[in-house]
Amino acid sequence: MSVSAVIVAAGSGERLGQDRPKALVEVGGEPMVRHAALRLLAGGADELVVVHPARLSLEFARVLDDLVGVTLVVGGATRTGSVRAGVAASDSDAELIAIHDAARPFIPSKCVRMAIASVAGQAIAAAPALPVADTLKRPTPEGRIRTVDRADLWAVQTPQVVRADVYRAVLDWAPGEHTTDDLGLVESAIDAGVVEGKIVLVPGDPRALKITYPRDLMMAEAVLAAERARRG
Ligand code: CTP
Ligand code: MG
């Protein structure tokens, strides 16, 4: 099935606190957006739409210019706005759309392939996810602390892969919705009876960590160094 991948990279990376947007920050000598692009292509994406901040087209073009099948578009003020811009620019013949955060540069291509395979099979949407490892607490309005059972909780990563016809219908149905999670929109649309079908979670990978704070860069460098050492 043909897959259009949308990499959302239009955030400013405020919490990382560098002099440029997060997607252009280098890990192991290469910008995060390039790491992410290579892994999505290796995982089965037929084209890539990279959504970037306004006025940075040249910088993004420069770091991706040797890759085939890449389109650049300017993003919106929120992640959802950027997702919409990317989906609008993606190939209208693509059967699946895979939305990926540039902030997760080291997604193993195996995870990408598994999410794609699930949607090419039975599901209408799929994403990699990991079991939650931390013990979770919820303070109550009365000032008590409650332990949340983590046994059935999953932390979701990207790419979030959705059947293209389903996702276009969902975005039309929820024109103003802002969410950090694309599957969340599909879940609401299923509940509202707008679309039908099943969402599945496939095994995620700790290497697909999301880079948010400066400390995450150390982890990212370590992930890359371990991969490079294994490859020799
Ligand atoms: N994103 C986007 N457009 C926006 C906001 C976010 O494309 N208007 C993208 C980011 O580039 C990132 C992903 O959505 O790849 C997840 O967002 P986040 O980790 O919050 O990144 P930033 O918004 O860049 O970081 P911060 O919130 O610290 O400014
Ligand atoms: Mg943000």
Side-chain angles (χ1 to χ4, degrees), residues 10-67:
S12 57
E14 212 164 291
R15 287 169 291 177
L16 199 60
Q18 300 233 353
D19 57 351
R20 67 194 103 162
K22 202 149 67 173
L24 293 177
V25 171
E26 292 186 358
V27 180
E30 296 208 272
M32 289 193 217
V33 67
R34 185 176 167 84
H35 287 292
L38 290 170
R39 282 148 199 266
L40 284 165
L41 289 170
D46 298 295
E47 70 151 358
L48 288 183
V49 178
V50 177
V51 190
H52 62 80
R55 293 187 299 278
L56 286 175
S57 319
L58 286 180
E59 283 81 350
F60 275 76
R62 197 169 47 78
V63 302
L64 298 169
D65 72 345
D66 59 323
L67 306 183

Side-chain angles (χ1 to χ4, degrees), residues 8-15 22 76-79 82 101-103 210:
V8 284
S12 57
E14 212 164 291
R15 287 169 291 177
K22 202 149 67 173
T78 61
R79 183 182 182 280
S82 296
D101 287 346
K210 180 159 168 287

Side-chain angles (χ1 to χ4, degrees), residues 103-115:
R104 294 187 188 274
F106 302 121
I107 179 75
S109 44
K110 193 173 108 194
C111 294
V112 178
R113 267 195 295 276
M114 274 192 290

